[in-house]
Amino acid sequence: MGRKRMVAMLLAGGEGKRLGVLTKDLAKPAVHFGGKYRIIDFTLSNCTHSGIDTIGVLTQYQPLVLNTYLGIGSPWGLDRRDGGMAILPPYVKQKGGMWYKGTANAIYQNMGFIDRYDPDYVLVISGDHIYTMDYELMLQEHEERGADVTIACIEVSLKEASRFGIMHVDDEGMITAFEEKPKVPTSNLASMGIYIFSWPVLQKYLIRDEANRGSSNDFGKDIIPAMLQDGVRLNSYTFKGYWKDVGTLESLWEANMDLLSEKPVLDLNDKNWRIYSVNPNRPAHYSAATAEIYDSLITEGCIVEGLVHRSVLFYGVQVGVDSEVYESVIMPNVKIGKGARIYKAIIGENAIIEDGVVIGDPNKESVTVIGSDEFVAANQSLQEVE
Amino acid sequence: MNSNILGVINLIHEADEMETLTASRCLATVPFGARYRLIDFMLSSMVNSGISKVAVFAQTKYRSLIDHLGSGKHWDLHHRQSGLFILPPVTDDVNEIRRGDLYHFYQHRDYFTRSSQEYVLITRSHMICNIDFEELLVSHKASGANITVICKKQNDLLGGKARKVQVDEKGRITSMQDHYGRLNTDLISMEMYLMKKELLLEIVDSSLAQGQDHLVRHAIMSRLDRLHIQSYVYEGYLGVVNTLTSYYQNSMQLLRPEVWKSLFFEPGPIYTKVKDEPPARYAEGAKTSNSLVANGCIIEGTVINSILFRGVHVRKGAVVRNSIIMQNGIVGENSIVDHVILDKDVTVERSRELRGAEVSPFLATKRKVI
């Protein structure tokens, strides 16, 4: 087994409670996104494009769909002889095993996996963010600045800042202080949850953190503050580009809408940075004589006979005659009958919406959600179903 | 699923009447139906019928064939228990390359003798259909025939060319003629032949010994009285795509939902080499009507009665009508194309007007800038 310069550890065990019915039987990274992708495709594709060929994917919550989807990693070019993708669930040891207690504990339990590759660096990322990023550039800065840790940061508005881990940096960009979700933020530099650690340094802190019974074994809450206290060299890497945490229904809906418009901020058509995914084999989509589609994404396998405005249709979706779909995200294989109206909604995989159903309300701001496999009988009117 | 049939897709002496569409590729890899190649329909039918070992006998212009088929993984033909074999001509003498299919079968006889399957199914790539071969085998065994030929009752071939077949009341083939023959019949051969492997090897040897090297024209047509050659009538959708007219007309047939529903889905799905193209993006002013649009397209203009392959860009004010635009084609601002076939990577610059006719669509060659 060859040595690797950097190994990626992808945290994909998130339960995604705030995504409600969409994550009932599904880990958050496996949630559908953008017409044909799942959320985890973005980080996996980033790894491939950044030249990282060894990835441990840490799973925990509802892993069936996610594990089946990931397979041996071929769609992302990760079916390698040396390295490649390894799925790392919690496991039982001789002295008993345990679930991953926190993000740091998940890495601690898999130190053996990392040591097989004897890497200089470990990249810790999570599978629930939408962005495209070259981790190699981040690593170059990490090396240039002689840092022990580099944390990717993005500038957010001060108003939003209280939702994130907020960094304070000196003139050189070295981190001087860190606050987890401050009530009154004094900086707008937010952590993206992307870390590069020099492996010996991380290893030391993981072992020490594990021995501390009072710790919650979390990177943001425990490891980073402990490092700051000890004067470890923590560098901030400022990312300029699109990044979105799709942890809530609102943000998931927004991130899908961000893909629309003439020049979307996140360009899925970028030939130099394709987002790889398991490609379903479906015929080209059919737009009937009665169809009217604009400002939307339509995927192969769809049959559109009605109106689709500012919406994202995943593969295999059918929209019947006289139906109208506005500002909505329609997940794979949803069947919408005739004369239905759908406003600002997320409709889960395989749901069936019969003729004349009205979902959502054009005068309301909130997103209406229909769960996977749900059946909505004809002529009902539904708002904010959970 | 592991069928007792060995699959052969025979590309030797395929028709070459598609003008520039077949200038640098064989008929089997002509793009068709917004994201497929002609050969996908036969390969998928075989795989969906449980045939797990398939040989493609290539003859010329097979770079695109090797590129498209790769390891066979997109058709699930890359496993320990299955396999895809691309078999180009084997010979020391260039003149021999032009010889008939029986000669090339003979050169590759190891492929046949090393396979454990008892039956062999020989097909071509230009018969566009979705067919269950398991049923064919059942019928073949029941009739006790030496060879079963798949046939279709079809009067209008939309400009395609096919062999005519005449059968007796029990379905046994009594005569067979080339497409220009005068036989008065609405039954055509789909160029698919099922027989025991042993019989094929015997036919190869005895025909070559008599200086005959074409399977159908020589070996089968001359043995109609000596062998029991039975017809099997296929009921599903068939497109015979071997001329430019038939290519255009059969493509336009795909815009009828009942046609693509049966062709793409029944009895099984059609597989192809997948690509990481994003969903098609429709801009604010886009209009589409009665069209098939593949992933990766960006539509800012108007698309009517047309087929867009992956990654096509129809710019603002452009109108695409009754046309087929292959992969990565660009139709510039305010340009109009009507009854046009654009091969891969063609760019139509802004404010151009291209018009063909239904009987002879305008055809632009690969990578052309107009």
Side-chain angles (χ1 to χ4, degrees):
Chain A
M1 195 112 32
R3 265 197 99 238
K4 299 282 178 184
R5 184 159 158 253
M6 182 153 81
V7 167
M9 297 298 272
L10 200 168
L11 302 161
E15 183 175 343
K17 277 197 194 100
R18 289 172 301 162
L19 289 178
V21 289
L22 295 179
T23 48
K24 192 167 43 110
D25 313 303
L26 201 64
K28 187 158 73 166
V31 169
H32 293 285
F33 179 81
K36 64 173 274 200
Y37 308 99
R38 292 184 189 256
I39 296 171
I40 197 171
D41 287 334
F42 288 78
T43 33
L44 287 175
S45 301
N46 287 346
C47 285
T48 304
H49 288 302
S50 305
I52 297 168
D53 62 14
T54 307
I55 303 180
V57 180
L58 299 111
T59 61
Q60 178 155 295
Y61 173 79
Q62 289 285 5
L64 175 64
V65 175
L66 182 63
N67 290 0
T68 314
Y69 182 74
L70 295 174
I72 56 166
S74 342
W76 306 273
L78 293 168
D79 48 340
R80 298 299 188 94
R81 186 177 48 77
D82 184 9
M85 173 192 285
I87 293 177
L88 307 170
Y91 56 97
V92 174
K93 286 150 246 186
Q94 250 173 350
K95 289 179 182 167
M98 57 177 79
W99 293 103
Y100 293 146
K101 289 182 286 180
T103 49
N105 172 259
I107 309 291
Y108 172 84
Q109 290 200 39
N110 289 288
M111 291 200 304
F113 169 78
I114 300 172
D115 276 331
R116 280 162 66 119
Y117 300 100
D118 188 20
D120 296 323
Y121 309 104
V122 173
L123 171 72
V124 177
I125 46 184
S126 61
D128 44 14
H129 296 151
I130 302 294
Y131 63 109
T132 58
M133 180 173 171
D134 191 342
Y135 303 126
E136 176 60 30
L137 297 176
M138 182 172 165
L139 179 59
Q140 278 170 19
E141 195 186 278
H142 180 84
E143 287 184 324
E144 278 162 22
R145 297 229 176 130
D148 297 312
V149 184
T150 295
I151 304 178
C153 300
I154 191 160
E155 287 175 10
V156 295
S157 69
L158 266 179
K159 195 172 66 185
E160 279 184 295
S162 55
R163 288 171 43 207
F164 299 98
I166 293 298
M167 304 290 163
H168 294 264
V169 295
D170 65 16
D171 298 343
E172 265 114 53
M174 301 308 282
I175 296 166
T176 54
F178 169 81
E179 299 171 273
E180 181 74 19
K181 295 176 186 156
K183 285 212 174 79
V184 189
T186 49
S187 155
N188 67 339
L189 206 56
S191 164
M192 297 165 70
I194 301 164
Y195 309 92
I196 289 177
F197 294 98
S198 294
W199 177 227
V201 178
L202 177 61
Q203 203 163 15
K204 190 174 107 189
Y205 277 85
L206 286 178
I207 294 166
R208 202 200 279 179
D209 181 66
E210 193 59 24
N212 176 2
R213 284 177 177 250
S215 173
S216 53
N217 309 112
D218 186 84
F219 278 106
K221 289 191 197 106
D222 309 288
I223 300 275
I224 302 300
M227 287 176 161
L228 261 175
Q229 208 173 17
D230 294 358
V232 168
R233 284 181 62 78
L234 287 121
N235 172 43
S236 69
Y237 175 77
T238 308
F239 175 70
K240 295 209 186 329
Y242 182 84
W243 177 80
K244 193 135 192 152
D245 179 346
V246 285
T248 63
L249 291 167
E250 278 292 329
S251 62
L252 180 67
W253 178 85
E254 271 172 28
N256 274 286
M257 293 300 122
D258 287 343
L259 299 171
L260 306 178
S261 85
E262 225 159 291
K263 287 206 167 59
V265 264
L266 182 75
D267 184 10
L268 296 173
N269 286 79
D270 185 353
K271 286 202 162 63
N272 298 317
W273 204 279
R274 276 278 183 255
I275 306 304
Y276 302 130
S277 72
V278 176
N279 286 290
N281 225 325
R282 305 286 182 107
H285 76 258
Y286 178 65
S287 144
T290 50
E292 191 187 301
I293 309 167
Y294 67 73
D295 212 4
S296 294
L297 291 182
I298 314 286
T299 312
E300 287 174 337
C302 288
I303 302 173
V304 182
E305 295 173 303
L307 270 62
V308 178
H309 294 177
R310 265 189 79 66
S311 295
V312 175
L313 266 53
F314 284 72
Y315 49 87
V317 168
Q318 298 183 16
V319 178
V321 179
D322 293 327
S323 283
E324 297 177 10
V325 178
Y326 298 95
E327 297 191 299
S328 295
V329 179
I330 317 289
M331 290 189 176
N333 305 318
V334 168
K335 286 189 178 56
I336 299 171
K338 295 170 188 163
R341 297 278 178 284
I342 295 170
Y343 304 98
K344 202 173 178 182
I346 300 177
I347 301 192
E349 199 171 348
N350 302 322
I352 294 176
I353 313 295
E354 288 208 314
D355 297 354
V357 168
V358 179
I359 290 169
D361 181 337
N363 304 314
K364 278 200 181 146
E365 279 297 297
S366 55
V367 179
T368 305
V369 181
I370 304 288
S372 301
D373 305 305
E374 267 190 54
F375 174 82
V376 183
N379 302 315
Q380 281 190 66
S381 181
L382 293 176
Q383 279 131 36
E384 291 174 68
V385 180
E386 283 270 357
Chain B
M1 259 201 322
N2 210 334
S3 147
N4 200 16
I5 305 175
L6 186 62
V8 169
I9 301 178
N10 176 13
L11 309 185
I12 293 156
H13 291 298
E14 284 236 278
D16 198 345
E17 296 183 43
M18 291 235 205
E19 298 176 27
T20 58
L21 285 185
T22 46
S24 62
R25 54 169 86 90
C26 52
L27 185 61
T29 52
V30 167
F32 185 77
R35 62 195 289 279
Y36 303 98
R37 305 275 186 158
L38 292 184
I39 197 172
D40 290 338
F41 294 85
M42 191 41 56
L43 265 181
S44 302
S45 290
M46 284 185 171
V47 168
N48 289 336
S49 307
I51 295 175
S52 56
K53 196 168 174 191
V54 178
V56 180
F57 278 80
Q59 189 181 26
T60 54
K61 296 183 278 196
Y62 48 76
R63 184 208 51 85
S64 63
L65 183 76
I66 291 170
D67 177 28
H68 181 68
L69 299 179
S71 65
K73 108 176 163 189
H74 298 289
W75 298 267
D76 231 356
L77 285 171
H78 65 309
H79 294 287
R80 193 179 280 272
Q81 296 86 356
S82 63
L84 175 74
F85 299 79
I86 300 174
L87 305 175
V90 182
T91 172
D92 292 331
D93 182 349
V94 262
N95 295 316
E96 302 279 86
I97 292 171
R98 291 192 215 126
R99 291 189 61 182
D101 38 16
L102 292 180
Y103 173 76
H104 296 285
F105 290 172
Y106 178 77
Q107 295 293 72
H108 283 297
R109 61 194 177 281
D110 282 357
Y111 170 74
F112 296 100
T113 52
R114 280 185 190 166
S115 305
S116 60
Q117 286 82 354
E118 194 183 350
Y119 294 91
V120 57
L121 172 71
I122 301 169
T123 74
R124 289 201 172 262
S125 70
H126 67 276
M127 293 285 173
I128 301 307
C129 62
N130 193 340
I131 182 168
D132 179 3
F133 294 118
E134 275 176 310
E135 229 175 79
L136 169 72
L137 182 60
V138 171
S139 152
H140 178 75
K141 285 179 180 167
S143 73
N146 301 110
I147 301 175
T148 299
V149 184
I150 306 183
C151 298
K152 166 92 181 160
K153 274 198 167 67
Q154 193 154 320
N155 278 317
D156 188 359
L157 295 184
L158 303 169
K161 292 173 180 173
R163 256 190 205 97
K164 295 169 184 175
V165 169
Q166 202 158 47
V167 296
D168 66 13
E169 64 283 359
K170 283 181 180 152
R172 181 170 170 168
I173 295 177
T174 52
S175 60
M176 199 186 259
Q177 275 183 5
D178 283 338
H179 64 91
Y180 43 78
R182 273 185 276 168
L183 203 58
N184 188 15
T185 165
D186 60 355
L187 197 62
I188 58 155
S189 161
M190 288 171 62
E191 304 296 315
M192 299 175 192
Y193 305 89
L194 179 72
M195 66 191 91
K196 284 213 163 124
K197 190 172 72 185
E198 216 173 289
L199 175 63
L200 175 72
L201 293 173
E202 211 178 287
I203 287 176
V204 168
D205 285 342
S206 58
S207 299
L208 288 176
Q210 294 164 36
Q212 299 184 325
D213 57 4
H214 289 275
L215 172 70
V216 185
R217 205 187 305 154
H218 296 150
I220 291 186
M221 281 159 74
S222 69
R223 283 177 175 81
L224 283 175
D225 50 346
R226 275 177 286 156
L227 293 175
H228 176 180
I229 302 181
Q230 183 73 18
S231 65
Y232 170 89
V233 180
Y234 164 70
E235 304 288 349
Y237 182 81
L238 171 70
V240 181
V241 180
N242 51 5
T243 61
L244 190 63
T245 316
S246 64
Y247 176 78
Y248 179 76
Q249 304 247 352
N250 278 291
S251 295
M252 290 299 138
Q253 288 293 306
L254 298 178
L255 298 176
R256 292 165 50 200
E258 71 274 17
V259 169
W260 57 253
K261 267 180 203 156
S262 76
L263 183 59
F264 295 145
F265 296 101
E266 293 155 15
I270 303 299
Y271 306 104
T272 189
K273 178 181 172 181
V274 295
K275 297 214 163 80
D276 288 284
E277 294 279 358
R281 192 160 85 223
Y282 287 76
E284 191 78 50
K287 279 197 186 71
T288 47
S289 170
N290 197 40
S291 295
L292 282 174
V293 180
N295 274 0
C297 288
I298 299 178
I299 302 177
E300 297 169 296
T302 302
V303 179
I304 298 168
N305 295 333
S306 294
I307 293 175
L308 305 190
F309 282 71
R310 293 187 269 213
V312 168
H313 193 162
V314 178
R315 295 226 156 100
K316 275 182 197 155
V319 179
V320 175
R321 213 186 273 274
N322 309 313
S323 294
I324 300 164
I325 319 273
M326 291 185 198
Q327 214 178 310
N328 301 326
I330 298 172
V331 182
E333 273 179 41
N334 301 320
S335 281
I336 297 171
V337 301
D338 191 1
H339 290 101
V340 161
I341 302 172
L342 302 185
D343 203 334
K344 282 171 76 173
D345 303 306
V346 169
T347 300
V348 176
E349 295 192 327
R350 54 164 60 202
S351 307
R352 295 291 145 96
E353 222 179 298
L354 300 179
R355 283 182 202 277
E358 193 163 344
V359 280
S360 70
F362 178 91
L363 172 61
T365 52
K366 210 169 159 179
R367 283 188 285 277
K368 198 169 178 179
V369 178
I370 299 168

